[in-house]
């Protein structure tokens, strides 16, 4: 019995090893040192990145005026790229996590690729906002003076959380494969340095049952937590627009609309990437029609959902027809440039992909899907552009009525930076596939062993291609990522101070004025203001006196009245007249007649006015005040702590894996 | 200001020397004086709360300088966040008087040294509906009490003070332009390139004047806070020949225009049916408008009297657009 079990175990181990060798052999062409063609590809990407960096340096030197953005159109291609890449990033993690959680077996050979897309798209998308900033040198202000009230801060938190989460997720799922790469000769003959890195990263994973259990636990936890994180990220991105009061942005459906659009474009990105890797590295046996078919179905479902959301959004806007919304709809669906772009997007993202995928053709599934995916990706970029620019053009007060005609045409700087961003994404992906298995070996092996090759949608019977010619040592020459530190030099012109010294004014000697005594007394119907006019102790009757209240920039009249026999005039002291904090008021009595004295006046500070606050009330907790509303702070705190404590839990599992290796 | 005149005649009587048993005033600083001809002197408050006399004409002349003459009195970055204690600045614009001459825009541009493309107060030619009469609509920053721009600023570079003014600290602003996207009134401008600070070379930066300008930061109408503190009206107010713009302190319930007419703020709004532009957005603007009834000026010409031949002409387009696409 015992012997039989050991034999079984041995047989299983042999099977497992053979299977593993089989899969590794199929990945050999991707892990082999770069071929001249690949070098050419990498070289051109590096060139594009360098061009992008140079364009950005140019922008840093001259300011954002080198872009096409101007008054009214204050966001453009950079923000478009930001939203677009964050959208693409959704594919990965979300699809891989959902499929993992639901136990879809065919996912096994595509998860790695999907997760990598997420990480790299984020790495390119997130810096786009920094590129868009007028003062990137002050980026630290976001940490020093950050206000929780601002959706930008929510974005900073959620994107940081997402990027850490998806890196962690990618890494956890890669640990067994790293362990596999580590030993010399397992995959590479010569790469000792890299193997040491892999070995170090693999945390001493040996596949013992204890380590297996811990890994499964970590992976399952990550897969669950990353789903809400991914959804929150694109929701928060949409809120940058949704939280404003702009036509076309201030929409409650924006969060889910963006999320669906993001998953949609992300799925398309995965399909494109799969097709390219399949072709370039001959992975037909691992990425079969099965994966494409299932992803195609998913894409179709998302396509229909996307149509639904689009309808919900634009039908409401068009039907409700608020004044500014009408102008926006006219701009988007009319005859102008944006109208054409809108219908192009509608064709690329709504109608054509659905038609192409639904065609009842059995043949050419993969090419069809690739065409649809590329259309979708182009279309989604256009859509992001259309969300941003036309709305910025549609202001409540049309600028044309002040003779201003805003327009936006991206400049070469913006295009070059955009291409540089795209090239960075592609380069990161290319390099990743060169140094790590782009298909999860251990998951595929496990799947074949557990449910059979057919059920996970791989074809391990298909012969592997002969190993490609090797190009020794070339990998050592991999160009390091080009790092350019650009400092903006700010020159402030300093000149000499010229202050015009003002000569003290000369006093003129005026003609004698009567004495005007102002006071307030209690009258029969409430308080009165009185002014007594006397010249050398003689009261002046029948003089017109105007009573005035001194205010910040002038004097408010309380009325003009003639003096009586005793030289006194009086007006009612109005109720509720605001005074200073002590309830005091400066009252001025000005003579209007007789003509000789018309510029004479007297004044007094009297009590009895309404006291005004000496200091304004302290700011309440409000969105506009320095103090964020309590509920908002609490929500952000709770959400972040849930996610980050889950991450910590996963990291603890990783530490345990490391410990289990030592024991 | 070039000249400050204090000219007080007559003595000051002390408290108690007054007439009547029911005397209410306990601090009786009595003065009488003769105003200098031709224009009356205008009492103005100093930052210390002291009352000084300012010749009206001089106050007006002060605004003709190309750069803020008060940069010296403007506060530093931290103090500028406080606002003048006890004040609530407010503006009223009488659309019945505005003739669209753009004097306010020009004076503001001179005063703040703004480049031509940035009109902190911009005059629009409005037409609410196709058959209603057009009117001129000067639009500064509304210094909203629930300001969308301030809500969204990630670093608190734009902030609301307790005297109601919304300012920008250009030494803190990171140039994200979120506030520009968030302001529903399109009030904010951006320093896209390196600004020309040659006229403000020796000024220390203050958010109250916004100079020297900084590249990559936002700017907008600031209600001339450093002048308001000294009792001087903003440049747009004093430059208005039609005296259509009023400025004042809501706490005092008084606003003053270029003619030095000081009127009760609440009464003005009540009598003239004052309103706030697009108040339904919930922004609670601090700028009030008086409807363009019984206008003091010829109406802006209506392009709708004859249907425009070319729809691309900006005038026609604008009014059409504002008329709500009523095709
Ligand atoms: S008008 Fe615009 S810039 Fe001014 S306070 Fe209101 S929202 Fe802010
Ligand atoms: S541009 Fe400046 S003032 Fe405006 S939101 Fe960004 S940091 Fe704040």
């Amino acid at each position: 019995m015992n012997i039989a079990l050991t034999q079984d175990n041995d047989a299983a181990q042999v099977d497992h090893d053979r299977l593993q060798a089989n899969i590794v052999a199929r990945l050999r062409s991707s892990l082999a040192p770069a071929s001249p063609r690949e070098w050419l590809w990498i070289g051109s990407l590096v060139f594009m990145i360098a061009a992008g960096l140079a364009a950005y340096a140019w922008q840093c030197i001259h300011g954002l005026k080198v872009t096409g953005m101007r008054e009214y159109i204050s966001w453009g291609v950079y923000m478009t790229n930001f939203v677009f890449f964050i959208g693409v990033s959704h594919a990965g993690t979300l699809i891989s996590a959902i499929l993992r959680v639901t136990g879809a077996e065919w996912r096994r050979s595509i998860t790695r690729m999907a997760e990598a897309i997420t990480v790299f798209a984020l790495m390119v998308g997130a810096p786009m906002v920094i590129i868009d900033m007028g003062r990137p040198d002050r980026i630290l202000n976001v940490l020093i003076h950050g206000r929780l009230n601002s959706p930008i801060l929510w974005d900073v938190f959620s994107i940081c959380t997402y990027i850490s989460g998806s890196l962690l997720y990618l890494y956890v799922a890669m640990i067994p494969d790293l362990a596999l790469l580590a030993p010399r000769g397992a995959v590479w003959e010569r790469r000792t340095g890299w193997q040491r890195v892999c070995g170090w990263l693999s945390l001493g994973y040996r596949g013992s049952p204890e380590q297996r259990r811990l890994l499964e636990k970590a992976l399952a936890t990550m897969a669950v937590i990353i789903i809400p994180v991914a959804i929150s990220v694109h929701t928060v991105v949409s809120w940058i627009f949704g939280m404003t009061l702009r036509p076309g942005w201030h929409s409650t459906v924006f969060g889910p609309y963006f999320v669906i659009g993001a998953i949609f474009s992300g799925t398309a990105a995965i399909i494109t990437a799969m097709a390219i890797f399949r072709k370039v590295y001959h992975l037909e046996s691992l990425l079969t029609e099965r994966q494409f078919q299932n992803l195609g179905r998913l894409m179709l479902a998302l396509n229909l959902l996307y149509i639904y959301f689009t309808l919900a959004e634009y039908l409401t806007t068009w039907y409700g027809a608020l004044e500014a919304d009408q102008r926006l709809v006219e701009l988007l669906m009319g005859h102008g440039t944006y109208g054409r772009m809108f219908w192009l997007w509608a064709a690329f993202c709504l109608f054509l992909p659905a038609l192409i995928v639904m065609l009842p053709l059995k043949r050419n599934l993969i090419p069809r899907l690739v065409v649809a995916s590329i259309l979708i990706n182009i279309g989604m970029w256009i859509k992001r552009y259309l969300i941003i620019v036309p709305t910025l053009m549609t202001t409540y007060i049309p600028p044309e009525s002040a003779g201003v005609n805003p327009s936006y045409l991206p400049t070469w700087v913006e295009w070059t930076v955009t291409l540089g961003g795209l090239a960075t994404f592609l380069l990161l992906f290319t390099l990743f596939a060169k140094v790590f298995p782009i298909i999860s070996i251990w998951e595929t092996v496990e799947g074949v062993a557990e449910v059979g090759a057919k059920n996970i949608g791989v074809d391990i019977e298909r012969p592997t291609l002969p190993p490609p010619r090797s190009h020794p040592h070339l990998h050592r020459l991999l160009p390091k990522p080009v790092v350019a530190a650009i400092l903006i030099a700010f020159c402030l012109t300093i000149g000499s101070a010229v202050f015009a010294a003002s000569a003290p004014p000369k006093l003129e000697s005026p003609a004698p004025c009567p004495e005007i005594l102002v006071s307030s007394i209690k009258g029969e119907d409430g308080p009165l203001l009185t002014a007594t006019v006397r010249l050398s102790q003689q009261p002046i009757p029948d003089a017109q006196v105007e009573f005035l209240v001194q205010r910040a920039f002038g004097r408010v009249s309380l009325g003009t009245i003639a003096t009586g026999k005793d030289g006194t005039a009086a007006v009612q002291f109005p109720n509720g007249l605001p005074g200073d904090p002590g309830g005091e008021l400066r009252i001025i009595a000005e003579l209007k007649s007789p003509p000789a004295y018309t510029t004479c006046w007297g004044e007094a500070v009297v009590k009895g006015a309404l006291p005004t606050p000496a200091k304004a009330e302290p700011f309440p907790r409000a969105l506009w005040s320095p103090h964020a509303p309590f509920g908002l702070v609490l929500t952000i705190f709770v959400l972040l702590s849930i996610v980050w404590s889950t991450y910590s839990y996963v990291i603890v599992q990783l530490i345990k894996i490391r410990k289990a290796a030592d024991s | 200001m070039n000249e400050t005149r204090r000219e007080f005649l007559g003595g000051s009587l002390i408290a108690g020397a007054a007439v009547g048993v029911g005397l209410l005033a306990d601090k009786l600083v009595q003065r009488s004086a003769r105003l200098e001809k031709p224009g009356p002197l205008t009492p103005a408050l100093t930052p210390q709360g002291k009352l000084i006399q300012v010749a009206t004409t001089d106050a007006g002349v002060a605004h003709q300088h190309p750069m803020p003459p008060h940069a010296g009195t403007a506060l530093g970055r931290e103090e500028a966040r406080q606002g003048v204690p006890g004040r609530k600045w407010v503006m009223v614009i009488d659309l019945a008087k505005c003739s669209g001459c753009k004097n306010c825009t020009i004076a503001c541009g001179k005063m703040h040294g703004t480049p031509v493309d940035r009109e902190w107060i911009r005059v629009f030619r409005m037409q609410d509906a196709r058959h209603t009469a057009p009117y001129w609509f000067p639009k500064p920053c509304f210094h909203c009490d629930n300001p969308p721009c301030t809500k969204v600023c990630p670093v608190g570079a734009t902030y609301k003070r307790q005297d109601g003014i919304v300012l920008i600290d250009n030494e803190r602003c990171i140039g994200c332009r979120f506030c520009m996207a968030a302001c529903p009134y399109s009030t904010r401008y951006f320093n896209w390139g390196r600004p020309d600070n040659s006229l403000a070379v020796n000024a220390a930066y203050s958010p109250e004047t916004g100079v020297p300008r900084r590249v990559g930061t936002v700017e907008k109408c600031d209600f001339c806070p450093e002048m308001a503190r000294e009792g001087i009206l903003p440049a747009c107010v004093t430059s208005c020949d039609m005296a259509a713009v009023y400025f004042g302190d809501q706490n005092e319930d008084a606003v003053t225009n270029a003619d030095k007419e000081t009127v009760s703020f609440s009464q003005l709004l009540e009598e003239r049916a004052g309103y706030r532009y697009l108040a339904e957005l919930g922004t609670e603007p601090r700028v009030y408008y008086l409807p363009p009834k019984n206008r003091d000026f010829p109406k802006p010409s209506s392009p709708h009297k004859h249907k425009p031949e070319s729809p691309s002409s900006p005038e026609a387009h604008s009014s059409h657009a504002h008329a709500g696409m009523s095709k």
Side-chain angles (χ1 to χ4, degrees), chain A residues 308-533:
Chain A
Y308 163 71
F309 270 106
T310 304
L311 200 66
E313 167 74 4
Y314 287 106
L315 186 65
T316 325
T317 311
W318 172 73
Y319 198 103
L322 290 172
E323 195 271 329
D325 282 354
Q326 284 182 44
R327 275 184 282 134
L328 180 67
V329 169
E330 173 108 333
L331 198 60
L332 280 178
M333 301 180 192
H335 295 295
T337 322
Y338 298 112
R340 282 195 292 277
M341 284 176 80
F342 184 87
W343 293 112
L344 198 68
W345 159 76
F348 279 16
C349 280
L350 302 182
F351 311 130
L352 287 179
L355 277 180
I356 293 175
V357 176
M358 280 197 292
L359 276 188
L361 287 177
K362 277 270 170 286
R363 294 202 349 256
N364 287 338
L365 172 74
I366 297 175
R368 272 195 286 142
L369 279 180
V370 170
V371 169
S373 311
I374 291 174
L375 289 184
I376 292 170
N377 273 321
I378 298 173
M380 280 318 260
W381 192 91
I382 297 178
K383 171 67 174 163
R384 304 318 189 188
Y385 186 88
L386 285 178
I387 287 177
I388 294 168
V389 177
T391 281
L392 285 172
M393 288 200 151
T394 312
T395 52
Y396 286 107
I397 315 178
E400 291 85 0
S401 37
V404 180
N405 283 294
S407 67
Y408 175 61
L409 209 64
T411 58
W412 67 269
V413 175
E414 285 164 287
W415 289 126
T416 316
V417 169
T418 304
L419 280 182
L422 185 66
T424 312
F425 174 72
L426 296 175
L427 181 69
L428 286 170
F429 216 158
T430 310
L431 294 183
F432 178 83
K434 281 271 94 175
V435 297
F436 293 116
I438 192 63
I439 284 175
S440 180
I441 300 172
W442 71 278
E443 282 191 278
T444 312
V445 169
E446 189 189 79
V448 175
E450 278 172 10
V451 295
K454 193 154 173 286
N455 285 324
I456 70 161
V458 298
D459 180 7
I460 54 168
E461 303 303 323
R462 195 193 273 233
T464 50
L465 290 160
R469 277 184 302 125
S470 65
H471 312 280
H473 297 300
L474 270 179
H475 58 87
R476 285 172 197 274
L477 303 175
L478 277 184
K480 284 181 187 140
V482 188
V483 180
I486 300 139
L487 290 174
I488 308 173
F490 291 100
C491 297
L492 288 175
T493 354
I494 296 158
S496 58
V498 184
F499 285 108
S502 52
K506 226 179 96 194
L507 291 176
E508 291 171 29
S509 55
C513 248
E515 191 178 42
I516 303 163
L517 284 181
V518 181
S519 66
S520 74
I521 58 167
K522 243 189 204 130
E524 275 163 22
D525 316 319
L528 293 173
L529 290 170
T530 61
T532 309
V533 186

Side-chain angles (χ1 to χ4, degrees), chain A residues 572-650:
Chain A
Q572 202 80 38
F573 194 160
N575 260 335
L577 212 56
D580 70 359
E584 289 179 347
L585 210 53
R586 191 174 291 267
I587 300 289
I588 294 131
E590 213 177 281
L591 284 189
K592 294 289 163 199
S593 77
Y597 307 131
T598 49
T599 56
C600 295
W601 56 278
E603 64 169 359
V605 173
V606 299
K607 269 208 152 178
L610 216 60
T612 49
K615 262 206 136 3
E617 300 263 291
F619 285 133
R621 281 195 172 272
L623 285 173
W624 55 266
S625 99
H627 323 291
F630 186 65
L632 184 72
V633 180
L634 190 73
T635 311
I636 294 176
F637 180 76
V638 167
L639 290 179
L640 281 179
S641 16
I642 291 176
V643 175
W644 280 94
S645 47
T646 315
Y647 287 0
S648 327
Y649 173 78
V650 170

Side-chain angles (χ1 to χ4, degrees), chain A residues 71 74 138 150 518 601-603, chain B residues 30-33 152 173 177:
Chain A
E71 191 193 349
S74 48
R138 294 184 184 161
S150 169
V518 181
W601 56 278
E603 64 169 359
Chain B
Q30 285 276 12
R31 289 172 187 155
S32 40
V152 300
C173 171
R177 308 194 291 296

Side-chain angles (χ1 to χ4, degrees), chain B residues 234-283:
Chain B
C236 53
V237 177
T238 44
S239 64
C240 178
D241 286 341
M242 306 292 286
V245 190
Y246 295 80
F247 189 77
D249 177 8
Q250 192 172 6
N251 281 347
E252 283 185 349
D253 189 31
V255 285
T256 309
N257 66 6
D259 287 352
K260 282 285 160 190
E261 279 168 4
T262 304
V263 291
S264 158
F265 167 67
S266 51
Q267 249 175 42
L268 185 65
L269 292 191
E270 198 181 304
E271 283 164 12
R272 299 282 313 279
Y275 71 101
R276 297 186 291 187
Y277 181 72
L278 278 185
E280 65 268 30
L281 293 177
T283 49

